[in-house]
Amino acid sequence: MTATPPATTPPADSRRRGVRRTRPRSWALLLIYGFLTVVTLLSLLPTVWVMLSSFKTGPQVYSGKGFFPSPATFQGYIDAFTEIHLHTYVLNTLLYATCGTIGAVTVAFLAAYPLARYAFLGKNFLVAMFALALAIPLVGLATPVFFVVRELGMFDSRIGLVIFYSALEFPFSFIVMRSFLLSLPTEVEEAALMDGAGYFTTLRRIILPLSRPAIATVCVVAFVKIWNEFFFANLLTVTQSNHNVQLALAGFKSQFGYNVTGAMAGATIIMLVPIALFLLLQRQVVAGLTAGAVK
Amino acid sequence: MLPALVLFALFFLVPLVVLAVTAFSRWGGVDFAFTGLDNYRRLFSDPVFWKAAGNTLFYCGASMVIQVPLGVAVGMTLAMKVPGWKVFRTIIFIPFVISGAAYALVFSMFYNPSYGLLNNLLAPVTGGQHDWLFDSGTARWAVAGTFVFIIGFVVVVVIAEVAAIPTELLEAAEVDGASLIQRQLFIVLPLLRNIIGTVILVRLLVDIGMFDLVFILTSGGPDNATTTLALYAYRAYVQGQWGYANAAGSVILILGATLIVTVRRAFRIGERAL
């Protein structure tokens, strides 16, 4: 997997092998690895420390002694479910993230197709407007969003949050999906239309299967973003049974007083979901995020 | 198409209009009265507002000074594709997928004066227990310090951009005798200008709206030393002063727009979404 310059260099180029691109000398390699190791250790140190601490006993955490748990215990994890009722929040968040993602991606797909394929009045304006939604710090709109959600009767309701998250993740999904569709050749769908397939048949039978890579990318990114969302969840729900995991997490801080390992165990579980998704679907996540930023 | 328009209108356009109108009013949801520029007069005469604005800009600056250069340096290093670079890339990216709330929790433990890892690591040097987050001298810096860890996005984007640089350029420079460091500084770095601008834009958007990290880590304290504009607007909203909250919200939007236009001009970013 070490992607050094291609092994299949044409024979004519073999003379140039001596000047292959950026093959650092050994002292430079040492420096590079040193630098990378420091950065890598730094990036994970606090998180790994908390994750390891979740297996410690309360007294060991408070003593501040030892990086590794000794003795190791699962009590924190047991407490996270029995005392903090983590499963309620996990189930809520799964609902928000799953349904919100499906909503956002469906709506984005339906909008991206005509805006990628057809020319009509106001098309560029619409695309620019959807893109603009990505370019404003949405927290500035907090109060009006709350007001709209309340007027629609969706305040403090699970369905309301699902619909809101669909809207929140729509612009990003739309941009990524549209730029994917623009890069897709049109021959197959034109043939299908010629053969008498209707608009929605073509969309479902031809475009949907072809768009699978883009849809996968957008789904993963939207899911992780909704899973991690705190601000609007805090704004739009009050009942504890409607809270998502991030709100529960904020509540953990007050748990430090009496059950620090339970809080740490809960935090670990909540962090592991996006990490696991990222490790499994790394290419999708990275492609999605870079596409969103650059396109 | 229609569902997209409905969703977009309901949750983006209508709120924008509501904000634009009610920022000039006294409004608590039911009662409503136009008060002209009163909200803004009150805003600009409130020292806490200026503190919040200053902190927000401080966090933006911290991103530019800490996160962007470090991320670009790591990205350029990884782009040389030394053996094992993918492992490093993966690990460095992980903190980026962790939520702000989780990060706040992790760091409130990390900075904890009695059992926090930082104090234990520093104990041989400082010899004491310092409460980083509750000393108004260090609180801001402690919050900004968490940025160091979240460079994954910058790194990944830079790697992708370096990969798009034609190899001929670097090979020619090498033939001409340019050293590794010279090639990185004088060829690769200038070619990254556009992407650095984009990365700065993405970071600015996050920093201008910064809320959850500060809200959970310090609630804005001590003595508003870490309060951000988003937190300031949120407090007004919680107190039922919706018009005033929206005036503060409009400052966030205008500040965001200003910074974004400035950065786009400075880096001459053309046809991009952000």
Side-chain angles (χ1 to χ4, degrees), chain A:
Chain A
M1 294 307 269
T2 55
T4 37
T8 53
T9 321
D13 270 356
S14 56
R15 275 174 295 117
R16 283 168 47 190
R17 290 222 123 187
V19 291
R20 270 192 347 203
R21 155 180 205 197
T22 49
R23 233 300 149 248
R25 291 196 193 117
S26 52
W27 63 265
L29 267 181
L30 201 70
L31 242 154
I32 290 171
Y33 280 116
F35 176 56
L36 290 178
T37 310
V38 170
V39 176
T40 313
L41 285 179
L42 261 181
S43 24
L44 280 187
L45 185 71
T47 315
V48 167
W49 173 69
V50 166
M51 287 180 171
L52 283 175
S53 297
S54 66
F55 295 102
K56 291 175 183 167
T57 59
Q60 200 201 342
V61 171
Y62 286 121
S63 74
K65 291 205 178 77
F67 190 76
F68 296 98
S70 71
T73 162
F74 283 97
Q75 194 55 45
Y77 287 86
I78 297 168
D79 291 350
F81 288 100
T82 55
E83 282 184 28
I84 308 176
H85 305 295
L86 192 64
H87 47 279
T88 326
Y89 309 113
V90 169
L91 287 176
N92 276 344
T93 318
L94 277 177
L95 175 87
Y96 301 149
T98 312
C99 298
T101 301
I102 294 172
V105 173
T106 311
V107 173
F109 179 70
L110 289 175
Y113 182 65
L115 287 175
R117 283 291 185 271
Y118 302 116
F120 53 87
L121 192 71
K123 170 182 146 171
N124 291 336
F125 175 73
L126 279 179
V127 175
M129 208 170 55
F130 292 157
L132 202 68
L134 278 182
I136 55 171
L138 284 173
V139 275
L141 287 179
T143 319
V145 162
F146 163 79
F147 176 71
V148 168
V149 167
R150 195 190 66 168
E151 290 304 300
L152 292 171
M154 297 184 339
F155 178 66
D156 198 23
S157 93
R158 293 201 178 95
I159 301 294
L161 220 51
V162 164
I163 294 173
F164 174 73
Y165 281 141
S166 300
L168 191 66
E169 291 309 317
F170 159 74
F172 176 80
S173 311
F174 169 81
I175 299 291
V176 175
M177 208 96 90
R178 179 170 176 268
S179 57
F180 177 82
L181 287 174
L182 283 175
S183 71
L184 213 61
T186 55
E187 281 83 9
V188 189
E189 58 193 274
E190 274 161 9
L193 283 167
M194 212 75 100
D195 289 347
Y199 178 79
F200 284 104
T201 316
T202 313
L203 205 58
R204 191 165 50 91
R205 294 274 186 78
I206 314 284
I207 307 297
L208 190 64
L210 286 175
S211 312
R212 219 177 286 154
I215 292 176
T217 297
V218 171
C219 280
V220 181
V221 175
F223 187 94
V224 170
K225 274 160 73 186
I226 301 177
W227 179 274
N228 283 343
E229 212 281 324
F230 176 84
F231 184 76
F232 286 104
N234 181 38
L235 201 70
L236 302 177
T237 61
V238 278
T239 320
Q240 213 165 15
S241 60
N242 287 339
H243 282 357
N244 74 356
V245 282
Q246 307 301 331
L247 288 178
L249 224 136
F252 289 173
K253 223 185 138 187
S254 54
Q255 308 264 1
F256 286 5
Y258 70 95
N259 194 344
V260 69
T261 54
M264 283 171 160
T268 302
I269 294 170
I270 293 169
M271 289 190 281
L272 279 181
V273 169
I275 293 177
L277 267 177
F278 165 64
L279 291 179
L280 281 174
L281 303 162
Q282 202 176 140
R283 206 187 309 163
Q284 245 79 33
V285 178
V286 170
L289 289 168
T290 41
V294 180
K295 292 244 167 72

Side-chain angles (χ1 to χ4, degrees), chain B residues 27-38:
Chain B
W27 181 48
V30 190
D31 59 308
F32 183 91
F34 275 111
T35 52
L37 289 172
D38 271 9

